[in-house]
Amino acid sequence: MQWHALIFERAAVGNIEIHRAKMNLVNGPTSETRQVEVDAPWAQKIKQLFPLKINRFAVHDGELHYRDFSKEPSVDVVADRVQMVAVNLTNSKKLSKSLIADIRMEGRPLREGTARAQISLDPYASPPTFALNLEVSDVPLLKLNDFAKVYGSFTFKDGTFRMAMEANAKSGGYQGYVEPVFDHMVIFNEESVKNPATMVWEAILGALTQIVRNYPKDRFGTKVPFSGTFEHPTPDIITTVFNAFRNAFVQAFEGKLENWKKVPKVEPEKKQ
């Protein structure tokens, strides 16, 4: 329990600290083999274990896994050393000047890179109301080979990956962009020679990425805008292709957020 809030603000709220937590998001061909959401029973268990409103929630040295056991090879995309602090989850002006919760996260994607995120959200809004900034950097492309082989039918031989993402949602709709950047990327692996179809596909991808590559920085990148509703997402394919050529011939993308500390302002949903 947060005694300071109880004594000075007369608010019965609590603080949760979790150490070495592990979360698995599992994809599969059927509902029985898939779990990618935190369902209502889990949220209810939290309420049963901790009856007070949660004002601060922290995770130390956690792990987050995306798994797909239905593929060959099986996919396990992991982020470890996850540190997260979420404050003002009570959504109360007694404890804060704002009704908006603030979440900060950092971790190590694929056990080698770096990632950080900050989220501003209204914890009790329905549909979701939030603003998100995310940066990923220094990820060796070889670490992505299982994922690329399963979902893209190709593999990497060399290079590094970085990514920037901004998104916000309100009133059931959302918008934002993802900016992936590949430095010194080499598509092709000696093992691919054993499969003619894979070898031809990798040769095509390699040639295309060479054509639209920024050669002064040896970088392939683009910017993928998206918008729509949670039921009907609409990525902008034409702008994505245009931005790939822009990266090659106009100005290379950096895969970094221009205004990391400036998370867009989120207004809480008005309660009836």
Side-chain angles (χ1 to χ4, degrees):
M1 177 180 290
Q2 291 188 335
W3 295 105
H4 182 276
L6 181 64
I7 295 172
F8 294 100
E9 306 292 344
R10 296 182 181 178
V13 296
N15 170 47
I16 291 182
E17 305 272 344
I18 298 181
H19 296 264
R20 295 178 296 280
K22 182 181 291 187
M23 176 177 285
N24 292 282
L25 304 176
V26 182
N27 191 22
T30 65
S31 59
E32 290 77 14
T33 60
R34 180 172 61 247
Q35 182 172 337
V36 294
E37 298 177 353
V38 178
D39 52 16
W42 170 253
Q44 188 62 33
K45 289 296 182 182
I46 291 292
K47 292 181 179 180
Q48 293 174 5
L49 291 170
F50 199 82
L52 299 179
K53 286 186 175 181
I54 304 169
N55 188 49
R56 183 178 183 274
F57 185 92
V59 175
H60 307 281
D61 195 20
E63 284 193 10
L64 177 63
H65 292 257
Y66 169 82
R67 301 179 185 270
D68 192 337
F69 299 105
S70 66
K71 304 297 183 180
E72 182 59 41
S74 61
V75 176
D76 180 12
V77 179
V78 58
D80 68 348
R81 298 183 183 176
V82 175
Q83 309 290 333
M84 184 192 80
V85 176
V87 296
N88 201 32
L89 295 177
T90 57
N91 200 253
S92 172
K93 279 192 173 180
K94 284 185 176 181
L95 303 175
S96 174
K97 295 180 180 179
S98 171
L99 290 177
I100 299 303
D102 181 77
I103 302 174
R104 305 297 171 101
M105 298 179 64
E106 63 181 32
R108 192 176 65 159
L110 299 170
R111 305 190 190 278
E112 285 198 26
T114 59
R116 58 177 182 167
Q118 59 183 110
I119 307 169
S120 176
L121 64 86
D122 183 348
Y124 298 101
S126 180
T129 300
F130 66 86
L132 163 70
N133 284 354
L134 170 66
E135 272 190 355
V136 177
S137 60
D138 302 324
V139 178
L141 288 176
L142 289 175
K143 290 284 187 176
L144 287 168
N145 268 348
D146 286 348
F147 186 89
K149 185 176 182 179
V150 166
Y151 296 108
S153 300
F154 68 93
T155 53
F156 297 103
K157 185 177 181 179
D158 197 11
T160 58
F161 171 75
R162 66 174 61 185
M163 181 189 74
M165 176 180 177
E166 292 187 55
N168 59 80
K170 187 177 182 179
S171 302
Y174 65 87
Q175 63 180 359
Y177 72 87
V178 178
E179 187 177 299
V181 168
F182 302 82
D183 285 328
H184 316 297
M185 178 178 64
V186 178
I187 295 178
F188 188 71
N189 194 296
E190 285 75 7
E191 293 293 323
S192 302
V193 178
K194 300 177 182 179
N195 188 324
T198 301
M199 183 179 65
V200 171
W201 174 237
E202 289 186 347
I204 293 172
L205 287 177
L208 289 174
T209 57
Q210 288 289 340
I211 293 172
V212 290
R213 182 173 302 206
N214 184 285
Y215 279 94
K217 294 188 176 183
D218 192 15
R219 175 175 298 167
F220 172 78
T222 187
K223 191 172 186 177
V224 185
F226 55 82
S227 62
T229 64
F230 290 98
E231 294 79 14
H232 301 95
T234 55
D236 193 335
I237 303 300
I238 295 177
T239 303
T240 301
V241 175
F242 171 80
N243 283 333
F245 283 92
R246 177 187 171 195
N247 173 80
F249 304 112
V250 180
Q251 183 177 4
F253 290 113
E254 296 296 329
K256 297 180 179 179
L257 295 174
E258 295 180 359
N259 299 308
W260 168 252
K261 295 183 179 180
K262 296 181 180 180
V263 178
K265 185 178 180 180
V266 174
E267 295 293 342
E269 294 288 336
K270 293 182 179 180
K271 307 296 190 300
Q272 296 297 328

